[in-house]
Amino acid sequence: GIEHGNQEYRNKMLNRKVSSETMLRGFECCVGRRYVTTGNTIIGMPEENRSLIFDTIDFCRQVPVGIELPGAFIFAPYHGTPLREIAVKNGYLPAGSICDIRNPRESMLDQPQLPIDELIGLARTFGLYQKLPKSEWKWVEKAERDTVEGREVFESLQREYNTVPSDARLDES
């Protein structure tokens, strides 16, 4: 699991002391094998903001071709975890709340720097940000919004995204 693309956040908040370079080397060792390797990420964790999410997107864009990148999962604040304690302490989640897979929106952290609607939009478009050239990101940002225009742009980009080979990584153009 990649979990987070920002090494400092990963070290401090997730207590994962592995460097980005080491993770990328690990993925490189898995390319061309007879098994599927995926790189899972999580967004919406305590103290995370849009910029940190884009650090994760940028990290994923460096992962070698041949590694499956499924997009981003939204953080679930399970009882007994240190990240949940941070979320409750900082008022991002009511203390008595329970993660409910039938209603995940109720389990999402509502942070001033990353409101739920923005988080959901970023999760929906995460794969597009991973795959499409940065020159297209202005359209992906429009697709984040849950509006008529945002949904139309999203559908258009999805058609374009689906024409990109699943193992392709596009450069900055």
Side-chain angles (χ1 to χ4, degrees), residues 61-89:
R61 290 170 65 89
Q62 297 174 57
V63 171
V65 171
I67 304 299
E68 187 175 313
L69 295 169
F73 297 97
I74 295 178
F75 172 71
Y78 293 115
H79 280 274
T81 62
L83 289 179
R84 179 191 171 82
E85 297 306 317
I86 292 169
V88 169
K89 179 180 144 211

PDB file of all heavy atoms in Angstrom, residues 61-89:
ATOM      1  N   ARG A  61       1.890   8.963 -10.264  1.00  0.00           N
ATOM      2  CA  ARG A  61       2.292   9.169 -11.657  1.00  0.00           C
ATOM      3  C   ARG A  61       3.741   8.703 -11.892  1.00  0.00           C
ATOM      4  O   ARG A  61       4.143   8.516 -13.033  1.00  0.00           O
ATOM      5  CB  ARG A  61       2.110  10.633 -12.043  1.00  0.00           C
ATOM      6  CG  ARG A  61       0.629  11.032 -12.142  1.00  0.00           C
ATOM      7  CD  ARG A  61       0.438  12.527 -12.295  1.00  0.00           C
ATOM      8  NE  ARG A  61       0.974  13.028 -13.539  1.00  0.00           N
ATOM      9  CZ  ARG A  61       0.312  13.117 -14.697  1.00  0.00           C
ATOM     10  NH1 ARG A  61      -0.947  12.699 -14.766  1.00  0.00           N
ATOM     11  NH2 ARG A  61       0.887  13.610 -15.773  1.00  0.00           N
ATOM     12  N   GLN A  62       4.504   8.515 -10.812  1.00  0.00           N
ATOM     13  CA  GLN A  62       5.880   8.023 -10.928  1.00  0.00           C
ATOM     14  C   GLN A  62       5.978   6.497 -10.851  1.00  0.00           C
ATOM     15  O   GLN A  62       7.026   5.933 -11.168  1.00  0.00           O
ATOM     16  CB  GLN A  62       6.745   8.602  -9.798  1.00  0.00           C
ATOM     17  CG  GLN A  62       6.893  10.099  -9.824  1.00  0.00           C
ATOM     18  CD  GLN A  62       7.640  10.558  -8.593  1.00  0.00           C
ATOM     19  OE1 GLN A  62       8.760  10.125  -8.341  1.00  0.00           O
ATOM     20  NE2 GLN A  62       7.026  11.429  -7.812  1.00  0.00           N
ATOM     21  N   VAL A  63       4.908   5.862 -10.420  1.00  0.00           N
ATOM     22  CA  VAL A  63       4.909   4.410 -10.281  1.00  0.00           C
ATOM     23  C   VAL A  63       5.104   3.802 -11.671  1.00  0.00           C
ATOM     24  O   VAL A  63       4.500   4.250 -12.640  1.00  0.00           O
ATOM     25  CB  VAL A  63       3.600   3.922  -9.618  1.00  0.00           C
ATOM     26  CG1 VAL A  63       3.468   2.411  -9.663  1.00  0.00           C
ATOM     27  CG2 VAL A  63       3.537   4.421  -8.176  1.00  0.00           C
ATOM     28  N   PRO A  64       5.950   2.786 -11.795  1.00  0.00           N
ATOM     29  CA  PRO A  64       6.252   2.220 -13.112  1.00  0.00           C
ATOM     30  C   PRO A  64       5.019   1.664 -13.830  1.00  0.00           C
ATOM     31  O   PRO A  64       4.079   1.182 -13.185  1.00  0.00           O
ATOM     32  CB  PRO A  64       7.226   1.082 -12.818  1.00  0.00           C
ATOM     33  CG  PRO A  64       7.637   1.218 -11.413  1.00  0.00           C
ATOM     34  CD  PRO A  64       6.661   2.102 -10.720  1.00  0.00           C
ATOM     35  N   VAL A  65       5.063   1.731 -15.145  1.00  0.00           N
ATOM     36  CA  VAL A  65       4.031   1.119 -15.970  1.00  0.00           C
ATOM     37  C   VAL A  65       3.992  -0.373 -15.645  1.00  0.00           C
ATOM     38  O   VAL A  65       5.035  -1.002 -15.454  1.00  0.00           O
ATOM     39  CB  VAL A  65       4.348   1.362 -17.467  1.00  0.00           C
ATOM     40  CG1 VAL A  65       3.416   0.550 -18.351  1.00  0.00           C
ATOM     41  CG2 VAL A  65       4.261   2.836 -17.796  1.00  0.00           C
ATOM     42  N   GLY A  66       2.815  -0.913 -15.548  1.00  0.00           N
ATOM     43  CA  GLY A  66       2.658  -2.328 -15.221  1.00  0.00           C
ATOM     44  C   GLY A  66       2.118  -2.543 -13.818  1.00  0.00           C
ATOM     45  O   GLY A  66       1.699  -3.644 -13.473  1.00  0.00           O
ATOM     46  N   ILE A  67       2.121  -1.505 -13.004  1.00  0.00           N
ATOM     47  CA  ILE A  67       1.555  -1.565 -11.660  1.00  0.00           C
ATOM     48  C   ILE A  67       0.142  -1.012 -11.745  1.00  0.00           C
ATOM     49  O   ILE A  67      -0.091   0.066 -12.280  1.00  0.00           O
ATOM     50  CB  ILE A  67       2.380  -0.751 -10.642  1.00  0.00           C
ATOM     51  CG1 ILE A  67       3.848  -1.208 -10.623  1.00  0.00           C
ATOM     52  CG2 ILE A  67       1.745  -0.804  -9.254  1.00  0.00           C
ATOM     53  CD1 ILE A  67       4.058  -2.651 -10.237  1.00  0.00           C
ATOM     54  N   GLU A  68      -0.822  -1.749 -11.218  1.00  0.00           N
ATOM     55  CA  GLU A  68      -2.209  -1.304 -11.259  1.00  0.00           C
ATOM     56  C   GLU A  68      -2.435  -0.239 -10.181  1.00  0.00           C
ATOM     57  O   GLU A  68      -2.105  -0.444  -9.012  1.00  0.00           O
ATOM     58  CB  GLU A  68      -3.132  -2.494 -11.021  1.00  0.00           C
ATOM     59  CG  GLU A  68      -4.586  -2.166 -11.218  1.00  0.00           C
ATOM     60  CD  GLU A  68      -5.457  -3.400 -11.101  1.00  0.00           C
ATOM     61  OE1 GLU A  68      -5.115  -4.433 -11.713  1.00  0.00           O
ATOM     62  OE2 GLU A  68      -6.462  -3.319 -10.388  1.00  0.00           O
ATOM     63  N   LEU A  69      -2.990   0.894 -10.611  1.00  0.00           N
ATOM     64  CA  LEU A  69      -3.303   1.982  -9.686  1.00  0.00           C
ATOM     65  C   LEU A  69      -4.820   2.167  -9.681  1.00  0.00           C
ATOM     66  O   LEU A  69      -5.377   2.775 -10.592  1.00  0.00           O
ATOM     67  CB  LEU A  69      -2.601   3.273 -10.119  1.00  0.00           C
ATOM     68  CG  LEU A  69      -1.073   3.233 -10.060  1.00  0.00           C
ATOM     69  CD1 LEU A  69      -0.478   4.446 -10.749  1.00  0.00           C
ATOM     70  CD2 LEU A  69      -0.610   3.156  -8.621  1.00  0.00           C
ATOM     71  N   PRO A  70      -5.498   1.657  -8.674  1.00  0.00           N
ATOM     72  CA  PRO A  70      -6.954   1.652  -8.697  1.00  0.00           C
ATOM     73  C   PRO A  70      -7.621   2.979  -8.348  1.00  0.00           C
ATOM     74  O   PRO A  70      -8.829   3.061  -8.342  1.00  0.00           O
ATOM     75  CB  PRO A  70      -7.312   0.588  -7.661  1.00  0.00           C
ATOM     76  CG  PRO A  70      -6.176   0.621  -6.702  1.00  0.00           C
ATOM     77  CD  PRO A  70      -4.961   0.948  -7.523  1.00  0.00           C
ATOM     78  N   GLY A  71      -6.880   4.013  -8.081  1.00  0.00           N
ATOM     79  CA  GLY A  71      -7.475   5.265  -7.636  1.00  0.00           C
ATOM     80  C   GLY A  71      -7.262   5.418  -6.144  1.00  0.00           C
ATOM     81  O   GLY A  71      -6.307   4.891  -5.590  1.00  0.00           O
ATOM     82  N   ALA A  72      -8.183   6.105  -5.506  1.00  0.00           N
ATOM     83  CA  ALA A  72      -8.024   6.381  -4.080  1.00  0.00           C
ATOM     84  C   ALA A  72      -9.238   5.897  -3.294  1.00  0.00           C
ATOM     85  O   ALA A  72     -10.371   6.042  -3.732  1.00  0.00           O
ATOM     86  CB  ALA A  72      -7.833   7.875  -3.853  1.00  0.00           C
ATOM     87  N   PHE A  73      -8.953   5.333  -2.148  1.00  0.00           N
ATOM     88  CA  PHE A  73      -9.996   5.001  -1.194  1.00  0.00           C
ATOM     89  C   PHE A  73     -10.124   6.177  -0.226  1.00  0.00           C
ATOM     90  O   PHE A  73      -9.136   6.838   0.082  1.00  0.00           O
ATOM     91  CB  PHE A  73      -9.629   3.733  -0.413  1.00  0.00           C
ATOM     92  CG  PHE A  73      -9.508   2.523  -1.286  1.00  0.00           C
ATOM     93  CD1 PHE A  73      -8.265   2.111  -1.746  1.00  0.00           C
ATOM     94  CD2 PHE A  73     -10.629   1.806  -1.666  1.00  0.00           C
ATOM     95  CE1 PHE A  73      -8.144   0.997  -2.565  1.00  0.00           C
ATOM     96  CE2 PHE A  73     -10.520   0.694  -2.482  1.00  0.00           C
ATOM     97  CZ  PHE A  73      -9.270   0.286  -2.937  1.00  0.00           C
ATOM     98  N   ILE A  74     -11.331   6.420   0.265  1.00  0.00           N
ATOM     99  CA  ILE A  74     -11.535   7.480   1.250  1.00  0.00           C
ATOM    100  C   ILE A  74     -11.324   6.890   2.640  1.00  0.00           C
ATOM    101  O   ILE A  74     -11.834   5.813   2.960  1.00  0.00           O
ATOM    102  CB  ILE A  74     -12.923   8.118   1.106  1.00  0.00           C
ATOM    103  CG1 ILE A  74     -13.012   8.828  -0.253  1.00  0.00           C
ATOM    104  CG2 ILE A  74     -13.195   9.101   2.251  1.00  0.00           C
ATOM    105  CD1 ILE A  74     -14.352   9.474  -0.545  1.00  0.00           C
ATOM    106  N   PHE A  75     -10.566   7.608   3.457  1.00  0.00           N
ATOM    107  CA  PHE A  75     -10.213   7.193   4.815  1.00  0.00           C
ATOM    108  C   PHE A  75     -11.452   6.824   5.624  1.00  0.00           C
ATOM    109  O   PHE A  75     -12.444   7.552   5.642  1.00  0.00           O
ATOM    110  CB  PHE A  75      -9.449   8.328   5.500  1.00  0.00           C
ATOM    111  CG  PHE A  75      -9.191   8.090   6.955  1.00  0.00           C
ATOM    112  CD1 PHE A  75      -8.279   7.142   7.369  1.00  0.00           C
ATOM    113  CD2 PHE A  75      -9.858   8.837   7.915  1.00  0.00           C
ATOM    114  CE1 PHE A  75      -8.031   6.922   8.719  1.00  0.00           C
ATOM    115  CE2 PHE A  75      -9.616   8.639   9.263  1.00  0.00           C
ATOM    116  CZ  PHE A  75      -8.701   7.680   9.674  1.00  0.00           C
ATOM    117  N   ALA A  76     -11.377   5.694   6.304  1.00  0.00           N
ATOM    118  CA  ALA A  76     -12.416   5.249   7.224  1.00  0.00           C
ATOM    119  C   ALA A  76     -11.850   5.315   8.640  1.00  0.00           C
ATOM    120  O   ALA A  76     -10.881   4.622   8.952  1.00  0.00           O
ATOM    121  CB  ALA A  76     -12.853   3.828   6.892  1.00  0.00           C
ATOM    122  N   PRO A  77     -12.419   6.128   9.507  1.00  0.00           N
ATOM    123  CA  PRO A  77     -11.887   6.330  10.866  1.00  0.00           C
ATOM    124  C   PRO A  77     -12.340   5.245  11.846  1.00  0.00           C
ATOM    125  O   PRO A  77     -13.214   5.445  12.678  1.00  0.00           O
ATOM    126  CB  PRO A  77     -12.467   7.695  11.253  1.00  0.00           C
ATOM    127  CG  PRO A  77     -13.749   7.776  10.481  1.00  0.00           C
ATOM    128  CD  PRO A  77     -13.533   7.027   9.203  1.00  0.00           C
ATOM    129  N   TYR A  78     -11.705   4.083  11.756  1.00  0.00           N
ATOM    130  CA  TYR A  78     -12.082   2.952  12.603  1.00  0.00           C
ATOM    131  C   TYR A  78     -11.708   3.188  14.059  1.00  0.00           C
ATOM    132  O   TYR A  78     -10.655   3.758  14.362  1.00  0.00           O
ATOM    133  CB  TYR A  78     -11.432   1.661  12.103  1.00  0.00           C
ATOM    134  CG  TYR A  78     -11.965   1.224  10.758  1.00  0.00           C
ATOM    135  CD1 TYR A  78     -11.149   1.186   9.643  1.00  0.00           C
ATOM    136  CD2 TYR A  78     -13.304   0.858  10.614  1.00  0.00           C
ATOM    137  CE1 TYR A  78     -11.644   0.792   8.414  1.00  0.00           C
ATOM    138  CE2 TYR A  78     -13.804   0.471   9.391  1.00  0.00           C
ATOM    139  CZ  TYR A  78     -12.972   0.432   8.294  1.00  0.00           C
ATOM    140  OH  TYR A  78     -13.463   0.048   7.080  1.00  0.00           O
ATOM    141  N   HIS A  79     -12.578   2.694  14.945  1.00  0.00           N
ATOM    142  CA  HIS A  79     -12.328   2.780  16.387  1.00  0.00           C
ATOM    143  C   HIS A  79     -11.010   2.104  16.739  1.00  0.00           C
ATOM    144  O   HIS A  79     -10.657   1.087  16.167  1.00  0.00           O
ATOM    145  CB  HIS A  79     -13.464   2.110  17.170  1.00  0.00           C
ATOM    146  CG  HIS A  79     -14.663   2.973  17.319  1.00  0.00           C
ATOM    147  ND1 HIS A  79     -14.797   3.888  18.331  1.00  0.00           N
ATOM    148  CD2 HIS A  79     -15.777   3.083  16.557  1.00  0.00           C
ATOM    149  CE1 HIS A  79     -15.955   4.513  18.207  1.00  0.00           C
ATOM    150  NE2 HIS A  79     -16.564   4.039  17.132  1.00  0.00           N
ATOM    151  N   GLY A  80     -10.300   2.709  17.677  1.00  0.00           N
ATOM    152  CA  GLY A  80      -9.061   2.131  18.173  1.00  0.00           C
ATOM    153  C   GLY A  80      -7.821   2.511  17.381  1.00  0.00           C
ATOM    154  O   GLY A  80      -6.733   2.066  17.722  1.00  0.00           O
ATOM    155  N   THR A  81      -7.976   3.324  16.352  1.00  0.00           N
ATOM    156  CA  THR A  81      -6.813   3.719  15.563  1.00  0.00           C
ATOM    157  C   THR A  81      -6.363   5.126  15.959  1.00  0.00           C
ATOM    158  O   THR A  81      -7.187   5.978  16.305  1.00  0.00           O
ATOM    159  CB  THR A  81      -7.111   3.693  14.054  1.00  0.00           C
ATOM    160  OG1 THR A  81      -8.138   4.633  13.755  1.00  0.00           O
ATOM    161  CG2 THR A  81      -7.527   2.292  13.607  1.00  0.00           C
ATOM    162  N   PRO A  82      -5.074   5.383  15.916  1.00  0.00           N
ATOM    163  CA  PRO A  82      -4.572   6.717  16.265  1.00  0.00           C
ATOM    164  C   PRO A  82      -5.129   7.824  15.370  1.00  0.00           C
ATOM    165  O   PRO A  82      -5.396   8.929  15.847  1.00  0.00           O
ATOM    166  CB  PRO A  82      -3.053   6.589  16.088  1.00  0.00           C
ATOM    167  CG  PRO A  82      -2.755   5.131  16.217  1.00  0.00           C
ATOM    168  CD  PRO A  82      -3.966   4.432  15.677  1.00  0.00           C
ATOM    169  N   LEU A  83      -5.332   7.535  14.087  1.00  0.00           N
ATOM    170  CA  LEU A  83      -5.867   8.575  13.200  1.00  0.00           C
ATOM    171  C   LEU A  83      -7.298   8.951  13.568  1.00  0.00           C
ATOM    172  O   LEU A  83      -7.696  10.113  13.447  1.00  0.00           O
ATOM    173  CB  LEU A  83      -5.782   8.132  11.736  1.00  0.00           C
ATOM    174  CG  LEU A  83      -4.383   8.088  11.133  1.00  0.00           C
ATOM    175  CD1 LEU A  83      -4.447   7.613   9.691  1.00  0.00           C
ATOM    176  CD2 LEU A  83      -3.685   9.429  11.221  1.00  0.00           C
ATOM    177  N   ARG A  84      -8.082   7.991  14.027  1.00  0.00           N
ATOM    178  CA  ARG A  84      -9.440   8.305  14.479  1.00  0.00           C
ATOM    179  C   ARG A  84      -9.379   9.217  15.703  1.00  0.00           C
ATOM    180  O   ARG A  84     -10.139  10.174  15.808  1.00  0.00           O
ATOM    181  CB  ARG A  84     -10.221   7.039  14.812  1.00  0.00           C
ATOM    182  CG  ARG A  84     -11.633   7.382  15.300  1.00  0.00           C
ATOM    183  CD  ARG A  84     -12.357   6.186  15.884  1.00  0.00           C
ATOM    184  NE  ARG A  84     -13.590   6.575  16.519  1.00  0.00           N
ATOM    185  CZ  ARG A  84     -14.730   6.786  15.899  1.00  0.00           C
ATOM    186  NH1 ARG A  84     -14.816   6.641  14.597  1.00  0.00           N
ATOM    187  NH2 ARG A  84     -15.811   7.153  16.567  1.00  0.00           N
ATOM    188  N   GLU A  85      -8.478   8.912  16.617  1.00  0.00           N
ATOM    189  CA  GLU A  85      -8.342   9.742  17.818  1.00  0.00           C
ATOM    190  C   GLU A  85      -7.998  11.187  17.440  1.00  0.00           C
ATOM    191  O   GLU A  85      -8.523  12.131  18.024  1.00  0.00           O
ATOM    192  CB  GLU A  85      -7.284   9.154  18.756  1.00  0.00           C
ATOM    193  CG  GLU A  85      -7.630   7.774  19.290  1.00  0.00           C
ATOM    194  CD  GLU A  85      -8.996   7.730  19.963  1.00  0.00           C
ATOM    195  OE1 GLU A  85      -9.330   8.654  20.731  1.00  0.00           O
ATOM    196  OE2 GLU A  85      -9.734   6.761  19.698  1.00  0.00           O
ATOM    197  N   ILE A  86      -7.119  11.366  16.459  1.00  0.00           N
ATOM    198  CA  ILE A  86      -6.770  12.711  15.987  1.00  0.00           C
ATOM    199  C   ILE A  86      -8.004  13.377  15.390  1.00  0.00           C
ATOM    200  O   ILE A  86      -8.283  14.552  15.663  1.00  0.00           O
ATOM    201  CB  ILE A  86      -5.628  12.643  14.948  1.00  0.00           C
ATOM    202  CG1 ILE A  86      -4.332  12.193  15.614  1.00  0.00           C
ATOM    203  CG2 ILE A  86      -5.443  13.998  14.244  1.00  0.00           C
ATOM    204  CD1 ILE A  86      -3.217  11.839  14.631  1.00  0.00           C
ATOM    205  N   ALA A  87      -8.764  12.632  14.602  1.00  0.00           N
ATOM    206  CA  ALA A  87      -9.956  13.181  13.956  1.00  0.00           C
ATOM    207  C   ALA A  87     -10.992  13.630  14.983  1.00  0.00           C
ATOM    208  O   ALA A  87     -11.567  14.719  14.871  1.00  0.00           O
ATOM    209  CB  ALA A  87     -10.552  12.156  13.004  1.00  0.00           C
ATOM    210  N   VAL A  88     -11.225  12.817  15.994  1.00  0.00           N
ATOM    211  CA  VAL A  88     -12.194  13.164  17.038  1.00  0.00           C
ATOM    212  C   VAL A  88     -11.690  14.357  17.846  1.00  0.00           C
ATOM    213  O   VAL A  88     -12.428  15.314  18.099  1.00  0.00           O
ATOM    214  CB  VAL A  88     -12.484  11.937  17.941  1.00  0.00           C
ATOM    215  CG1 VAL A  88     -13.276  12.340  19.178  1.00  0.00           C
ATOM    216  CG2 VAL A  88     -13.215  10.859  17.140  1.00  0.00           C
ATOM    217  N   LYS A  89     -10.417  14.316  18.246  1.00  0.00           N
ATOM    218  CA  LYS A  89      -9.820  15.401  19.034  1.00  0.00           C
ATOM    219  C   LYS A  89      -9.928  16.752  18.320  1.00  0.00           C
ATOM    220  O   LYS A  89     -10.190  17.773  18.938  1.00  0.00           O
ATOM    221  CB  LYS A  89      -8.351  15.078  19.327  1.00  0.00           C
ATOM    222  CG  LYS A  89      -7.630  16.137  20.118  1.00  0.00           C
ATOM    223  CD  LYS A  89      -6.182  15.724  20.365  1.00  0.00           C
ATOM    224  CE  LYS A  89      -5.332  16.966  20.302  1.00  0.00           C
ATOM    225  NZ  LYS A  89      -4.003  16.736  19.825  1.00  0.00           N
TER     226      LYS A  89
END
